[in-house]
Amino acid sequence: MIKITNFSANAQALGYFYQARYALYMLLKSSPDLHISIEKLDDIAFEKDGTPIELIQTKHHMNSISSLTNSCSDLWKTIRVWSTAVQNGEVSTESVKFTLITTGVAPEGSIASKLYPYQEYRDIHTALTLLNEVAENSTSQSNRLAYEAFLGLSEIQREQLISCVYVLDASPNIVDTKEDILRELRYATRPQFKEAIFQRLEGIWFNKVIQHLSSDSVDTISQTEIVDYINDLQEQFHQDNLPIDFLDYIAPAEESIAEHQRVFIEQLKLVAVSQPRIQKAISDYYRAFEQRSRWVRDELLFVNELETYETRLTDEWERRFEAMKEDFEDDSETQIKKAGRALFNWMDQEANIHIRPRCTEPYVMRGSYHLLSNQLRVGWHSDFINRLESIIERTLEGVR
């Protein structure tokens, strides 16, 4: 077994996820006129009217007793980043607040403890004196570049920088930050849906962060954007609606689908549906399957709601299926396929049977019909059960 060290990829990945999750938490707590960036000016940065007002460094340790000592790398890596930014004129100490958020704990009397935001503990003069002493006298090679960056500032620049530095130690870790976000969402929905909204919001947020990091632009993310996402999600959790999560789902290719899941495909081939439309049907089938499964996992459905919905679908199909058979002008296979294709076209292009009034995404109904078709509860060819008898037998044998 590989031993996981403090410098493992696992810890580094957790640090990145923590940074993104904490940024969401801070944005939810911020004011509507603020914008946020990630890994642009700093780990996290807040801007107002295009001007940075706060730079934030995040340091994550699952071990809550990690100590923020006077010579620890977390402190000095942060000091190096900020010193370099000041030295290069990238930020102004007159208008920017510098914040270190860490899950580590600052020992009593340490530099970090002197930079708490609380006035009764804050002592900028002592913190600056200790920083100078460590930078001038320490022999640590790992912190050498940080010491040089700090001492490379003038005495006035150092004093101005440290007067704007604030340390928030013992901050919530990545798990506890989720609980903080859930508390921020407490008024966004009914309590039983809070977790489901969080999962969807964080998925949207992580995609937003990926786009943000992948862009060379200086675009920021506003609190208003996130509030709009929350409002959209909130609408989906009303009693007459359900959330839609799989619009971008990529379905498997037909050749990779197991035989017990191919019955609905064979149903389409019986009435000579074209291959491009079959691939669309496969997409609807899998999106509906995943969507319905997630609704069940998130406990969003009423008792027997799926069963009731399927009953409505099959009842409407039965009416049209029987009418189709009555209207046959002859029993030729060409006529039967044409009529069956027309029945499928009704389902695919005209039917408008929603599981809830405002849950109108077409793949839910289309895919549900294909799920029923896969169970031979509906079909398009007038003789679909007899025609698919061999497939049914092979499927049952596979199950046995």
Side-chain angles (χ1 to χ4, degrees):
M1 180 181 291
I2 298 175
K3 184 178 180 181
I4 303 298
T5 71
N6 289 336
F7 304 99
S8 70
N10 288 21
Q12 187 177 36
L14 271 180
Y16 287 130
F17 282 120
Y18 176 70
Q19 179 181 336
R21 179 174 280 184
Y22 207 94
L24 174 59
Y25 170 59
M26 297 192 73
L27 193 57
L28 289 173
K29 288 174 62 69
S30 70
S31 59
D33 60 341
L34 293 185
H35 290 65
I36 200 170
S37 64
I38 299 173
E39 292 290 352
K40 298 290 184 181
L41 296 171
D42 211 331
D43 285 357
I44 303 169
F46 277 102
E47 298 181 21
K48 184 176 183 179
D49 300 326
T51 302
I53 61 171
E54 184 174 10
L55 303 187
I56 301 166
Q57 284 271 315
T58 58
K59 304 296 180 185
H60 181 265
H61 303 277
M62 286 306 294
N63 179 3
S64 61
I65 62 173
S66 176
S67 185
L68 201 64
T69 62
N70 289 355
S71 58
C72 76
S73 61
D74 280 359
L75 174 65
W76 282 100
K77 283 179 180 177
T78 300
I79 294 295
R80 178 187 175 188
V81 169
W82 291 340
S83 297
T84 302
V86 171
Q87 181 72 45
N88 294 340
E90 296 170 1
V91 294
S92 169
T93 55
E94 295 179 0
S95 58
V96 177
K97 177 181 178 181
F98 301 83
T99 304
L100 170 59
I101 296 172
T102 176
T103 56
V105 177
E108 185 177 352
S110 64
I111 293 170
S113 72
K114 303 297 181 182
L115 296 175
Y116 285 156
Y118 324 110
Q119 289 303 317
E120 61 268 32
Y121 300 109
R122 194 166 174 80
D123 186 347
I124 296 170
H125 176 74
T126 300
L128 183 59
T129 300
L130 292 172
L131 284 165
N132 284 328
E133 288 178 358
V134 173
E136 291 169 354
N137 300 318
S138 175
T139 58
S140 170
Q141 288 302 304
S142 59
N143 290 338
R144 180 177 58 83
L145 293 178
Y147 299 151
E148 291 175 358
F150 182 64
L151 295 175
L153 299 175
S154 67
E155 290 186 12
I156 293 177
Q157 286 177 315
R158 276 179 260 165
E159 183 176 356
Q160 290 175 334
L161 171 61
I162 300 308
S163 67
C164 301
V165 170
Y166 297 86
V167 174
L168 299 176
D169 71 336
S171 295
N173 63 27
I174 190 168
V175 176
D176 296 332
T177 300
K178 174 186 173 180
E179 297 304 315
D180 289 338
I181 294 173
L182 287 171
R183 278 191 289 273
E184 292 298 316
L185 296 174
R186 63 189 180 279
Y187 300 123
T189 187
R190 284 171 286 175
Q192 66 267 33
F193 299 145
K194 197 164 55 174
E195 174 69 25
I197 281 189
F198 165 77
Q199 294 293 341
R200 288 163 173 82
L201 176 62
E202 189 168 64
I204 292 169
W205 173 250
F206 281 155
N207 283 333
K208 189 76 177 175
V209 169
I210 291 169
Q211 292 172 9
H212 178 70
L213 295 176
S214 302
S215 170
D216 292 329
S217 71
V218 294
D219 290 344
T220 55
I221 307 170
S222 69
Q223 190 209 52
T224 302
E225 290 180 73
I226 301 306
V227 171
D228 286 344
Y229 286 131
I230 293 172
N231 289 337
D232 287 343
L233 288 171
Q234 187 181 35
E235 287 294 315
Q236 295 178 46
F237 283 81
H238 286 183
Q239 287 196 348
D240 61 353
N241 204 353
L242 283 166
I244 295 299
D245 304 300
F246 295 95
L247 287 172
D248 299 324
Y249 185 84
I250 300 175
E254 180 184 344
E255 57 269 18
S256 66
I257 298 174
E259 187 164 31
H260 71 281
Q261 290 182 310
R262 294 183 57 86
V263 178
F264 79 98
I265 298 174
E266 298 303 323
Q267 291 246 44
L268 296 173
K269 290 181 177 180
L270 279 180
V271 293
V273 172
S274 65
Q275 190 59 39
R277 297 186 70 196
I278 288 176
Q279 192 57 46
K280 291 288 187 184
I282 292 171
S283 176
D284 289 333
Y285 173 94
Y286 279 97
R287 286 190 292 179
F289 177 84
E290 295 293 339
Q291 186 66 78
R292 288 159 48 127
S293 298
R294 185 163 190 184
W295 287 339
V296 171
R297 289 196 305 272
D298 290 344
E299 300 180 348
L300 302 181
L301 298 173
F302 303 134
V303 176
N304 297 326
E305 186 169 12
L306 278 180
E307 291 84 351
T308 301
Y309 181 54
E310 290 182 345
T311 298
R312 290 167 54 208
L313 294 177
T314 53
D315 178 70
E316 191 62 32
W317 167 83
E318 284 172 356
R319 295 171 186 271
R320 293 180 178 266
F321 184 72
E322 294 303 324
M324 174 190 74
K325 292 193 295 183
E326 286 179 359
D327 290 340
F328 283 158
E329 296 178 0
D330 57 63
D331 291 334
S332 69
E333 187 64 18
T334 300
Q335 169 70 18
I336 291 173
K337 286 183 177 180
K338 184 177 180 180
R341 208 161 46 248
L343 178 60
F344 170 68
N345 290 342
W346 161 79
M347 184 282 291
D348 193 54
Q349 300 171 17
E350 299 177 26
N352 203 21
I353 308 168
H354 306 313
I355 187 169
R356 290 188 187 173
R358 292 171 60 196
C359 184
T360 59
E361 171 52 45
Y363 78 67
V364 175
M365 185 206 67
R366 291 170 179 159
S368 294
Y369 263 120
H370 291 308
L371 287 164
L372 291 169
S373 172
N374 205 64
Q375 301 165 29
L376 294 181
R377 292 169 62 186
V378 304
W380 318 116
H381 193 284
S382 61
D383 195 32
F384 68 92
I385 291 180
N386 291 328
R387 294 294 184 93
L388 296 172
E389 185 177 4
S390 61
I391 294 180
I392 298 168
E393 290 176 354
R394 289 200 302 272
T395 299
L396 291 176
E397 289 173 1
V399 172
R400 288 195 292 265

